[in-house]
Amino acid sequence: MNIYNGLERFREVISFQSDEKRYKAWFNYYEEYQEVFDAIFRTNYLADLNALKPVINSLDFDTLLLKAENGLALQPVTKIKESLLQCAEFFKFEEDFDVFLLVGFGHIDGTAPPTSKPSLYLGLERLAKSDINILIPHEFNHLVRFHKLNFAESSERLTVKQLAIAEGLATITPLIVNQAELIDANFAKALMVSQENYRLLKTNFNKIENEILKDFDQALTQPLVEKYFMAKEGGHLPVKSGYYYGLIIITALLQNGVLLTDLTPSKSDEIYELYMNMQVD
């Protein structure tokens, strides 16, 4: 495991920037971690560097730096490393992997970007508001799954089904790793939603299932990501409906004796077929 802490480099880069040279200043930071950033742009923002120029030009670098400093003060590298080692031991993941602690745009707590080497990204500016006992196991599951299924070499976008199942696996991982009960209160925490939002997910399960199955085999687009996988209020479905549907699938399998460590590297179609067979039985 290699941990790259980009806080000092970010501080160094922005100390020389002026309002007229924001993008150029940030570009120096981007170049040092280009593969990671490009993977995040491609998979999380569904955009490239040029398309994100307006976002970059609007960044408040001083605020991002302050948030990043506060984040690392609350969640120091030693604590992050401890959680990572716990996850690696749980999954018996012996491959070398990189962890990037970088300052992002203020949107992403963490992700496992599809890079040439297994890697995990944590947004330093988001750490202060993150529960790393949930965040790191969640993202570590993605790291293991995407590496085992070799998603990094695939140019195709994930389907709604693939992401729903991946998020279901990742969402339940913190509960299994930390030996927490599989109950509604903990599901809400793992989903990182309020108890009220979780209640809406639970009471609208049939509606969610009917809707998401129509799009299950569709390649992800920004509208589909927003519809099923974002925490935006006021939508047609409750927030994070795709996460919840995936969680229901994985929870049912675990309660029928299937191991999370066996499910994590399994193909999405195989997991869903197993789930459907259990529903028939």
Side-chain angles (χ1 to χ4, degrees):
M1 173 174 58
N2 310 292
I3 298 180
Y4 300 94
N5 184 350
L7 179 61
E8 292 305 321
R9 179 57 177 149
F10 185 80
R11 181 185 288 111
E12 177 186 338
V13 166
I14 72 163
S15 67
F16 298 106
Q17 66 90 22
S18 63
D19 288 342
E20 296 78 21
K21 298 179 180 179
R22 284 179 173 181
Y23 179 75
K24 185 177 179 180
W26 181 87
F27 193 81
N28 291 329
Y29 190 64
Y30 157 82
E31 283 187 323
E32 284 203 33
Y33 308 103
Q34 183 171 349
E35 185 186 12
V36 176
F37 277 122
D38 282 346
I40 292 171
F41 297 162
R42 186 171 62 251
T43 57
N44 293 77
Y45 288 95
L46 301 180
D48 60 16
L49 179 63
N50 287 330
L52 290 167
K53 280 185 179 180
V55 176
I56 298 163
N57 281 324
S58 69
L59 295 177
D60 183 336
F61 291 124
D62 293 330
T63 298
L64 287 172
L65 176 60
L66 181 60
K67 288 181 177 180
E69 290 171 337
N70 291 339
L72 268 185
L74 289 171
Q75 313 280 17
V77 174
T78 52
K79 187 177 178 182
I80 291 170
K81 185 176 181 179
E82 182 180 321
S83 181
L84 289 164
L85 289 173
Q86 179 189 22
C87 292
E89 181 179 355
F90 175 83
F91 284 106
K92 295 180 171 55
F93 191 76
E94 298 179 352
E95 291 88 339
D96 192 25
F97 63 95
D98 293 334
V99 180
F100 295 92
L101 310 179
L102 306 179
V103 183
F105 297 167
H107 307 139
I108 299 173
D109 294 358
T111 186
T115 48
S116 56
K117 181 179 178 182
S119 61
L120 190 147
Y121 161 93
L122 297 178
L124 291 178
E125 79 284 6
R126 301 276 298 178
L127 269 185
K129 295 185 177 181
S130 298
D131 182 344
I132 64 171
N133 292 321
I134 293 176
L135 176 62
I136 290 179
H138 181 115
E139 297 304 336
F140 202 91
N141 182 281
H142 284 321
L143 181 154
V144 174
R145 179 169 176 77
F146 294 161
H147 175 67
K148 297 293 186 182
L149 294 180
N150 205 24
F151 282 2
E153 293 184 6
S154 174
S155 61
E156 298 180 2
R157 288 182 178 175
L158 297 179
T159 63
V160 172
K161 179 198 295 179
Q162 288 172 326
L163 186 56
I165 288 175
E167 294 298 359
L169 287 163
T171 298
I172 206 163
T173 294
L175 304 185
I176 303 301
V177 169
N178 295 307
Q179 300 180 345
E181 285 187 90
L182 301 185
I183 57 176
D184 287 344
N186 288 335
F187 288 148
K189 291 179 182 177
L191 284 163
M192 293 179 258
V193 299
S194 67
Q195 295 294 329
E196 173 61 20
N197 280 335
Y198 181 79
R199 186 188 66 77
L200 290 174
L201 287 165
K202 189 172 182 179
T203 56
N204 283 278
F205 173 76
N206 289 336
K207 180 180 179 181
I208 292 169
E209 183 172 51
N210 290 336
E211 193 78 16
I212 199 170
L213 289 181
K214 296 175 187 176
D215 295 318
F216 228 31
D217 293 314
Q218 296 297 314
L220 285 167
T221 60
Q222 190 61 38
L224 288 174
V225 170
E226 292 179 2
K227 182 176 183 180
Y228 296 115
F229 300 101
M230 294 184 72
K232 296 179 69 173
E233 300 283 355
H236 176 60
L237 296 174
V239 299
K240 291 192 171 183
S241 294
Y243 286 77
Y244 179 69
Y245 189 64
L247 177 63
I248 292 298
I249 292 171
I250 303 306
T251 301
L253 293 172
L254 295 183
Q255 291 175 336
N256 275 275
V258 186
L259 297 177
L260 178 63
T261 48
D262 291 335
L263 286 173
T264 296
S266 298
K267 293 182 179 179
S268 301
D269 287 342
E270 294 172 355
I271 291 174
Y272 191 64
E273 183 179 359
L274 185 60
Y275 170 71
M276 292 303 295
N277 289 339
M278 286 183 176
Q279 302 310 298
V280 172
D281 295 341

